């Protein structure tokens, strides 16, 4: 007998909203685009971002903390919200709200407003977006192809991110007249503003695609009661999973500083530093898809163990000085 989620997916497929691969393609696109403004800009253009906004890395980290606090609460509330309302409507609303906040960010506001924007991003990208995205992906994969579904999602997101990141670096470089190292703060500010507006426009495009392609949900057969939530929280496996996710995010967030490290430690200019920050994006599509396929063939714990060993090895190489600038 099919699970409730799979029955719902069949109902949605009969709505004529589009073939399965088109639905996955839109999930992939919106799944990465929604994070362009909160994270990708600061990850790729970190040196320019700090200079233009006139903030330190610590102050930007404080703004990120506002995102983290709001997101932490939103993760708890996002699941029940995704069960109650249509994924199509929630994801569309999330993308529109994120894009509008991006236009505000393009005005280069004060640190206080920037912090508020990051808190708002915590609501739009997590409360409204993340749970519907994961739920729709789970339904797409069915009972037998969960690893493939999530592997495709993250691999595709990585490819979208790499393509957009590379394109944005080219646009940024073209907007700077003459030699990059001789560009003024005003010129870099205008170039970064164009990148913000470009990302906001792409996010609005993603909202339109979601509205046109993602099927309207037919309702959920089963609600999660507070008693079930409490029962789940009592299971040690839940907390072990949480620790694994936390450790993975800590390692992943370390990549945010690659571009800043390239400029401050290796002496690269802003465009070269942004290019360095983009390189890691191109590894993600292959790694994510491979991890998903291996997770279906072997155990998830084995794949996680190998992945963490790789992270530890790379981090040790950097911290012990095995990598040097050109």
């Amino acid at each position: 007998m099919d699970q409730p989620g799979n029955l719902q997916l069949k109902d949605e497929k009969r709505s004529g909203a589009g073939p399965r691969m088109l639905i996955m393609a839109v999930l992939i696109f919106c799944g990465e685009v929604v994070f362009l403004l909160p994270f990708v800009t600061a990850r790729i253009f970190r040196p320019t971002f700090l200079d233009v906004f006139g903030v330190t890395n610590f102050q930007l980290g404080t703004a990120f903390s506002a995102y983290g606090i709001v997101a932490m609460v939103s993760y708890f509330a996002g699941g029940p919200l995704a069960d109650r309302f249509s994924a199509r409507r929630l994801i569309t609303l999330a993308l529109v709200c994120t894009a509008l906040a991006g236009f505000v960010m393009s005005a280069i506001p004060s640190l206080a407003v920037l912090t508020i924007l990051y808190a708002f991003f915590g609501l739009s990208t997590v409360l409204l977006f993340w749970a519907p995205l994961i739920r729709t992906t789970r339904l797409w994969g069915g009972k037998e192809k969960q690893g493939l579904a999530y592997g495709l999602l993250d691999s595709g997101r990585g490819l979208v991110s790499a393509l957009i990141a590379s394109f944005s670096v080219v646009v940024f470089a073209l907007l700077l007249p003459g030699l990059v190292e001789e560009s003024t703060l005003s010129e870099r500010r205008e170039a970064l503003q164009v990148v913000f507006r470009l990302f906001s426009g792409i996010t609005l495009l993603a909202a339109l695609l979601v509205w046109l392609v993602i099927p309207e949900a037919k309702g959920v057969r089963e609600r999660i009661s507070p008693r079930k939530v409490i029962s789940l929280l009592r299971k040690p496996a839940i907390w072990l999973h949480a620790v694994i996710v936390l450790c993975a995010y800590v390692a992943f967030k370390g990549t945010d500083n690659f571009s800043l490290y390239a400029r401050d430690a290796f002496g690269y200019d802003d465009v070269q530093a942004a290019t360095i920050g983009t390189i890691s994006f191109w590894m993600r599509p292959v790694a994510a898809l491979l991890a998903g396929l291996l997770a279906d063939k072997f155990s998830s714990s084995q794949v996680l163990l190998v992945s963490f060993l790789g992270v530890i090895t790379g981090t040790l190489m950097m911290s012990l000085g095995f990598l040097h600038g050109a």
Side-chain angles (χ1 to χ4, degrees):
M1 182 176 182
D2 288 335
Q3 295 176 343
N6 291 330
L7 287 171
Q8 182 180 347
L9 182 59
K10 291 178 182 179
D11 291 339
E12 290 177 351
K13 287 168 63 180
R14 283 197 292 267
S15 68
R20 282 172 55 85
M21 290 310 300
L22 179 59
I23 292 173
M24 175 54 71
V26 172
L27 290 176
I28 287 170
F29 185 64
C30 73
E32 188 60 31
V33 163
V34 75
F35 296 109
L36 291 177
L37 290 159
F39 296 117
V40 174
T41 48
R43 183 177 304 151
I44 299 174
F45 303 103
R46 177 66 65 95
T48 306
F49 194 106
L50 297 178
D51 292 344
V52 168
F53 279 90
V55 297
T56 65
N57 206 38
F58 175 81
Q59 289 172 320
L60 180 59
T62 302
F64 282 153
S65 297
Y67 176 97
I69 293 171
V70 174
M72 180 176 62
V73 178
S74 297
Y75 276 119
F76 287 99
L81 194 68
D83 282 341
R84 184 173 294 273
F85 298 101
S86 160
R88 174 180 177 234
R89 300 186 184 203
L90 286 174
I91 293 175
T92 301
L93 178 61
L95 290 164
V96 170
C97 290
T98 302
L100 294 178
F103 286 117
V104 175
M105 182 176 279
S106 70
I108 315 298
S110 65
L111 176 61
V113 176
L114 183 65
T115 303
I116 293 172
L117 282 174
Y118 270 101
F120 179 79
F121 283 140
L123 290 174
S124 65
T125 64
V126 178
L127 178 66
L128 298 177
F129 182 84
W130 191 247
L133 176 72
I134 296 302
R135 174 170 168 255
T136 306
T137 304
R138 178 179 62 82
L139 297 180
W140 188 94
K143 292 188 296 184
E144 303 298 330
K145 296 183 179 180
Q146 292 294 298
L148 175 62
Y150 289 110
L152 282 174
L153 178 69
D154 207 45
S155 176
R157 286 177 60 206
L159 180 59
V160 169
S161 182
L163 289 171
I164 294 178
S166 300
F167 175 68
S168 67
V169 171
V170 173
V171 171
F172 182 78
L174 291 175
L175 291 171
L176 295 178
L179 297 175
V180 176
E181 58 270 17
E182 295 179 0
S183 62
T184 66
L185 180 61
S186 176
E187 290 169 342
R188 287 186 290 149
R189 174 191 176 102
E190 292 176 1
L192 188 63
Q193 286 178 308
V194 171
V195 171
F196 281 134
R197 291 165 189 155
L198 174 64
F199 283 178
S200 297
I202 293 174
T203 306
L204 286 177
L205 173 62
L208 177 61
L209 290 175
V210 168
W211 187 257
L212 294 176
V213 173
I214 301 300
E216 188 71 22
K218 299 297 183 179
V220 177
R221 307 287 180 89
E222 183 180 1
R223 304 286 184 184
I224 299 179
S225 66
R227 181 178 297 179
K228 289 183 178 180
V229 173
I230 295 174
S231 175
L232 286 173
L233 291 176
R234 289 175 177 171
K235 295 183 177 181
I238 296 296
W239 294 100
L240 290 174
H241 277 83
V243 171
I244 291 172
V245 173
L246 175 63
C247 292
Y249 264 108
V250 168
F252 178 68
K253 293 303 293 180
T255 63
D256 286 357
N257 292 302
F258 281 177
S259 60
L260 184 64
Y261 188 71
R263 189 188 72 168
D264 292 352
F266 294 165
Y268 294 132
D269 62 42
D270 285 27
V271 173
Q272 291 172 328
T275 303
I276 294 295
T278 304
I279 291 175
S280 62
F281 283 64
W282 285 101
M283 288 302 298
R284 182 177 164 195
V286 178
L289 181 59
L290 183 62
L293 294 174
L294 290 176
D296 278 341
K297 187 171 184 179
F298 304 101
S299 71
S300 299
S301 59
Q302 289 176 319
V303 177
L304 282 170
L305 179 60
V306 172
S307 300
F308 276 117
L309 286 175
V311 171
I312 292 171
T313 302
T315 304
L316 284 175
M317 289 180 65
M318 294 181 64
S319 61
L320 295 177
F322 286 102
L323 302 180
H324 302 281

